[in-house]
Amino acid sequence: MSGATHPAGGPRLYDRAAELAAVARLSARVASGRGGILFVTGNPGEGRTALLRRAAHDFPGTAHRVGAPHHRGPWSAARALFAELAPTPAAGRRALRLARGEGGLARAVAALAVERQAVLICVDDLHLWDAHSRAALAAAWQETGTRRPGRVGWLVSAARHHRFPEVPGAETVRLGRLTVPGARALLGDLCPEAAPAPPVGERLLDEAAGHPGVLAAAVRRLTAPQLAGVVPLPRPAVDDSVLAEVYGGLLERLPAASRRRLATVAVVALAGRAGAGADGADGAGTAAYGIGGGGGSAPGEAARGGGGSGRSTPGGAARGARAPAGALEGLVADGLLLRRGGGAVGFEDPFLGRAALASARQAWRGGTGAPGGSGGGAEAVPVDGPASGTAPAADRRAAGAALARGEGHRADRLGPSAAVRALSPLARGRAQLVRGLAALAGGPVMDAHEALLQAAELLRGRAPVEASDARFLAMEAAWAGGDVEACLAALGGGEDVRGLERDFADGLRAALTVRLDDARTALVRVVAGDGGADDPRLLLRAGAAALVLGDTAAAARIHARALVRARAEHRTALLPHALEQLAYAELRAGRYGRAALAAREGLRSAESTGQHNVAAHQHAVLALVASVKGDGSAVAEHAGRALATAGAHGLVQAATLAEWALARAERGRGLAAQAAARLVPLVRPGPRGGHFALRMLVVPCFVETAVAAGREAEARDAAEEYAAWAALGVDGPAPAQSARCRALLAEGEASAYWFREAVRRHDSCGNDFERARTLLAYGTWLRRRRRPGDARGPLRDALVTFERAAAEGWAEHARSELRATGGASGGATDPAALRELTPQQQRIARLVAGGATNQEVADHLSLSPRTVDHHLRGVFARLGIRSRVELPAVVDGWDADREVPAAAAARRPGR
């Protein structure tokens, strides 16, 4: 069908009879109570949004249109969806909570009671939705397509490069270019006041090549005299500014590495055409925006850190402008941005090639280097980092001439070649592997998990080593995302894996399903077998096995060896990951100085190679180290950076570490209630809790903080679960920390027993920092029981350990407790300090030492909170302390000093 199709008052469409017929079929299914899903895909500007508006207008029932929100964070798109569907904001919030629970999004939609009438939900730009919302939608669609038909229809649009999920019964339509009559009808609507002069119209139609968005953008930039033919048109009419308007959003949202590779393909092809003497307007066919595949590396080589280059076939003019074929495979796979045909890699959409070229034009002409490198020519974009080298001057001049002549290029002569064939499963698998690696480094980790699992399936039986790597990488992505089921899914396949890698997969699967005896048997073999491994990948797996077993000393040793091997082999892309694992192992062992050293180096390496997810984890480790040292500003900075990336990419592990660091910093400032509230979600089980591998590690900190905040019931429940976990023997310091938790919750002399038991157990686990924390808690308990002499020994031992570990925040706490006991470290508590305070200040000091807030003190003494704050500052100045945290120790010291003279007087003769 050609020409316009439009109802009265509805959006006007052109050449969309097949698409409208598919929409009509969907509407009929919804009206009959069978539901349905229709996917619509197309390039930018081809009318996906217009089709959704038309479908919503024509639908006889209720229609809702939901686009991608401006802010892209976890569940942001689902929040926008329920805000549109729900009758009230409160109902939308309830639906979102339901969607994030066990019932999923399908149950949340049903809870809004929309199925009592025919409803069409139009989801626009699915590729811009966050990964959490996309996953929830996919699960809801699969459930709708199999078990839950109803009167709800989904019309979903996404860009051409987005791959829709597999949904039973779903139909997919692809928007295409307009025919000449359809484009002519669109041009007439774009110029309603006066039709353009015939030569102008023909040229616009010719250069737009049936692309509705390009045609509309070209017309918008022309003036009335230009449309009338009085003033000459720009040459070309479809220039860089038009293509930037249509394709700029797509290019900006691609990863930087993908943009560089697209530009490299376009630049290399034009350089080749210039060397062959091609004219910029001659319609050179499919090679015009492509790069030859000959002489390059194998498709999977880039994923393994290999090199190689793909060169344009004409004349060899682009010898200095290289693009690795392996790195390009992620853009060539089905549904992505490039295609392979006739021995060359080219653009699926020729306008996209010109837009990618336009994005690199200024840098190329200025001699500052083509996309993909830092030198003067278009360079390869290896996975391991920036390449080096420059294009020969003759090649650069030839490519510059091609760029100049390319201004008159006619896009309609560069359509897809009939020789394009589907890639083989091996090529598709390697392309998915590259794509998954890119997402694992700097994108949503669950997207990486899905891509890597698909790669493993495609490579199974064809490339066993690469399939095994893909599965383990998928497991790492799911681990970072805190998804146990996804980890099990990644470890469940790979029947062809043998040896220590088989033991590693079996051991992890057993540990995740709480079969610890089986896990220990398999993982011990993996740790013991690291001595014969020289491959850094295998060493990293052995170190991970040691961490799962709780053997932090072995984990640090093995990861240090993996780091040495990666450096020796110049495995630049592997260095940040090795340093990440080493920093975490040192952190678990309580060696915070070493952890900080490895994390800082890992952060620099990750940022230089574009591995933003690894950088987020390193920021989280540095935040925890800063919380130990008492550096509040460093905690806030590193935790903020970690959470910014973690929220966007679903890094549950990094987010848990960062929140833990913030809570410890708040506890150090005396904000026990705030710290406990921050820790509660981290120790809660289930999908709304913290990371599954960190939850138990956070419990001792939570118990101590919750007791200080008066939340003893929650602390007791967490301590009981922790005691059961500690008995399993998967963490060295856990039994000692469990005894410390019991001591904090016990009453009377039972606390003393459990403190002594905790110290005894610490002596055999090797974590000096946790032992010092237990000694500090024990000394504080003894001092508050009016036993200052007994308290000084544990407090001095704790202080020495904290000072040795440069844990200044904890050391200051220990000094304050020693001062309260009259210990030499802090100097004896001066009894005259109490006499220097006014009676009002003494009353305020005692109330605050008892845990009262300024408002509570003001209510008790009939003062204003400002007056209480003024008196409290005077108390701090006279006593030489810095915060209200130190007041309890000082007040207890006063009471102890009063009791000693009173007891002596009672023992004097005659009394």
Side-chain angles (χ1 to χ4, degrees):
M1 177 180 176
S2 63
T5 304
H6 58 93
R12 188 169 301 199
L13 301 181
Y14 308 87
D15 287 343
R16 296 295 180 245
E19 292 82 354
L20 290 173
V23 172
R25 289 193 295 271
L26 174 65
S27 300
R29 287 177 58 87
V30 174
S32 64
R34 294 179 294 145
I37 301 170
L38 175 62
F39 293 134
V40 179
T41 180
N43 291 316
E46 288 186 342
R48 290 181 284 110
T49 301
L51 181 63
L52 264 62
R53 285 201 302 264
R54 170 66 180 276
H57 180 274
D58 292 351
F59 190 70
T62 303
H64 301 273
R65 289 180 54 245
V66 184
H70 295 294
H71 168 69
R72 186 177 181 182
W75 297 100
S76 59
R79 188 177 293 109
L81 172 65
F82 291 120
E84 172 65 26
L85 296 179
T88 65
R93 290 191 293 270
R94 286 194 300 270
L96 180 62
R97 289 194 296 271
L98 191 61
R100 296 169 69 174
E102 295 181 0
L105 191 139
R107 183 180 173 189
V109 172
L112 293 174
V114 298
E115 294 190 359
R116 291 179 294 187
Q117 57 180 338
V119 174
L120 179 65
I121 302 175
C122 301
V123 174
D124 202 3
D125 290 333
L126 180 65
H127 59 286
L128 300 182
W129 285 40
D130 61 279
H132 296 74
S133 301
R134 290 204 309 269
L137 275 177
W141 293 335
Q142 289 164 355
E143 186 174 356
T144 300
T146 55
R147 296 188 301 275
R148 293 179 59 92
R151 305 191 70 190
V152 176
W154 296 85
L155 178 58
V156 185
S157 84
R160 177 72 180 86
H161 65 276
H162 180 78
R163 185 172 290 107
F164 290 112
E166 295 291 337
V167 179
E171 185 179 359
T172 302
V173 296
R174 177 181 176 182
L175 299 178
R177 300 295 172 83
L178 303 180
T179 63
V180 174
R184 199 180 306 279
L186 172 61
L187 181 60
D189 281 346
L190 292 172
C191 307
E193 296 181 359
V200 173
E202 291 304 319
R203 181 172 168 191
L204 288 172
L205 295 174
D206 186 47
E207 292 197 24
H211 193 302
V214 170
L215 179 61
V219 170
R220 277 194 297 270
R221 66 187 294 266
L222 298 179
T223 63
Q226 287 175 322
L227 287 172
V230 177
V231 177
L233 294 181
R235 184 168 181 84
V238 177
D239 61 4
D240 291 354
S241 63
V242 171
L243 296 177
E245 180 181 343
V246 179
Y247 288 88
L250 169 63
L251 291 172
E252 289 172 3
R253 294 184 182 96
L254 289 176
S258 297
R259 292 199 303 270
R260 289 195 299 268
R261 289 162 189 160
L262 290 176
T264 300
V265 171
V267 168
V268 169
L270 280 182
R273 293 178 67 218
D279 192 300
D282 65 357
T286 58
Y289 282 105
I291 179 170
S297 62
E301 193 168 333
R304 300 191 298 273
S309 64
R311 304 175 189 275
S312 59
T313 53
R319 287 185 297 271
R322 301 181 300 276
L328 294 174
E329 288 293 342
L331 302 174
V332 178
D334 294 343
L336 297 185
L337 301 175
L338 299 177
R339 56 162 173 76
R340 184 186 299 279
V345 174
F347 284 91
E348 181 73 20
D349 179 2
F351 280 124
L352 176 60
R354 292 179 57 193
L357 184 62
S359 69
R361 190 182 302 274
Q362 183 177 1
W364 180 270
R365 282 178 172 170
T368 58
S374 56
E379 300 175 353
V381 190
V383 174
D384 275 353
S388 59
T390 59
D395 291 345
R396 193 192 304 176
R397 286 193 298 270
L403 289 169
R405 288 194 294 272
E407 297 289 349
H409 169 67
R410 293 174 58 181
D412 57 326
R413 296 182 180 178
L414 295 176
S417 170
V420 174
R421 296 183 176 88
L423 293 175
S424 67
L426 181 63
R428 291 203 308 272
R430 286 170 170 167
Q432 284 292 84
L433 181 58
V434 173
R435 184 184 184 192
L437 283 170
L440 184 60
V445 287
M446 296 314 294
D447 287 3
H449 171 264
E450 185 65 27
L452 291 165
L453 273 188
Q454 292 179 13
E457 287 300 315
L458 290 166
L459 296 171
R460 184 172 60 178
R462 300 177 178 91
V465 175
E466 294 172 64
S468 172
D469 283 344
R471 285 200 172 276
F472 284 120
L473 290 169
M475 185 277 299
E476 289 182 12
W479 190 285
D483 193 329
V484 176
E485 295 301 325
C487 288
L488 292 172
L491 295 169
E495 293 79 4
D496 50 351
V497 177
R498 296 290 182 270
L500 293 180
E501 290 191 314
R502 180 77 270 168
D503 287 335
F504 181 67
D506 292 343
L508 273 188
R509 190 163 57 248
L512 291 171
T513 52
V514 201
R515 295 181 289 112
L516 296 182
D517 290 338
D518 295 340
R520 192 175 289 108
T521 301
L523 294 178
V524 164
R525 288 198 297 267
V526 176
V527 175
D530 80 282
D534 288 327
D535 190 337
R537 299 178 308 111
L538 302 180
L539 287 170
L540 287 173
R541 289 171 194 166
L547 280 175
V548 173
L549 292 172
D551 190 349
T552 55
R557 171 180 55 80
I558 296 171
H559 284 132
R561 185 178 171 197
L563 177 63
V564 170
R565 294 300 306 173
R567 284 173 173 159
E569 297 175 12
H570 303 287
R571 302 282 287 273
T572 310
L574 202 58
L575 280 178
H577 185 57
L579 287 163
E580 171 193 358
Q581 296 300 321
L582 177 60
Y584 183 65
E586 298 289 5
L587 190 72
R588 286 280 305 275
R591 295 187 287 265
Y592 292 97
R594 295 184 185 180
L597 187 65
R600 290 193 189 96
E601 183 182 355
L603 181 60
R604 292 192 297 269
S605 180
E607 290 177 342
S608 67
T609 55
Q611 300 187 47
H612 305 297
N613 291 342
V614 177
H617 196 279
Q618 304 287 28
H619 277 300
V621 170
L622 290 171
L624 270 171
V625 172
S627 72
V628 170
K629 294 185 176 181
D631 189 345
S633 61
V635 172
E637 178 185 358
H638 288 296
R641 293 189 178 184
L643 289 171
T645 303
H649 295 170
L651 304 173
V652 177
Q653 185 178 17
T656 300
L657 292 173
E659 292 284 359
W660 188 8
L662 291 171
R664 288 169 67 161
E666 290 165 349
R667 177 75 177 93
R669 297 198 305 271
L671 305 175
Q674 183 173 333
R678 188 183 294 276
L679 289 172
V680 164
L682 305 187
V683 298
R684 178 190 298 135
R688 298 182 59 194
H691 191 271
F692 62 85
L694 298 174
R695 191 168 70 87
M696 286 293 105
L697 302 181
V698 181
V699 166
C701 182
F702 169 71
V703 170
E704 183 179 356
T705 306
V707 169
R711 304 174 67 160
E712 292 192 3
E714 295 170 279
R716 200 173 302 278
D717 292 342
E720 290 177 0
E721 184 183 4
Y722 186 78
W725 177 78
L728 299 176
V730 294
D731 188 63
Q737 294 185 71
S738 177
R740 183 175 73 206
C741 292
R742 289 179 179 271
L744 292 170
L745 292 166
E747 297 180 358
E749 288 303 313
S751 293
Y753 167 79
W754 284 112
F755 273 125
R756 289 193 296 271
E757 182 66 13
V759 174
R760 184 186 67 79
R761 294 179 181 181
H762 272 303
D763 291 338
S764 61
C765 75
N767 193 315
D768 291 340
F769 181 81
E770 290 300 330
R771 179 178 183 275
R773 286 189 61 184
T774 298
L775 289 171
L776 174 59
Y778 185 28
T780 301
W781 181 85
L782 290 169
R783 181 192 60 73
R784 292 178 178 174
R785 300 284 292 180
R786 307 293 190 268
R787 296 163 61 181
D790 294 338
R792 290 186 191 116
L795 290 174
R796 287 195 185 101
D797 289 349
L799 176 60
V800 169
T801 302
F802 290 144
E803 288 177 339
R804 187 182 299 124
E808 185 55 36
W810 291 95
E812 183 56 36
H813 190 183
R815 292 190 195 99
S816 174
E817 291 293 336
L818 268 176
R819 284 196 298 267
T821 65
S825 175
T829 302
D830 187 2
L834 177 62
R835 294 191 296 271
E836 293 178 3
L837 300 180
T838 66
Q840 187 76 295
Q841 288 176 328
Q842 292 181 32
R843 287 192 290 271
I844 292 174
R846 290 187 180 279
L847 289 171
V848 172
T853 65
N854 287 6
Q855 183 64 54
E856 291 170 343
V857 173
D859 295 341
H860 184 77
L861 299 178
S862 300
L863 301 172
S864 70
R866 180 173 295 183
T867 302
V868 172
D869 182 71
H870 172 74
H871 284 303
L872 201 55
R873 292 178 184 276
V875 170
F876 294 163
R878 289 178 182 274
L879 298 182
I881 61 178
R882 293 184 293 182
S883 72
R884 61 200 305 138
V885 179
E886 301 180 57
L887 266 180
V890 176
V891 171
D892 289 348
W894 294 341
D895 294 339
D897 291 335
R898 284 182 175 181
E899 290 174 3
V900 172
R907 290 193 298 269
R908 286 201 299 267
R911 295 298 296 271

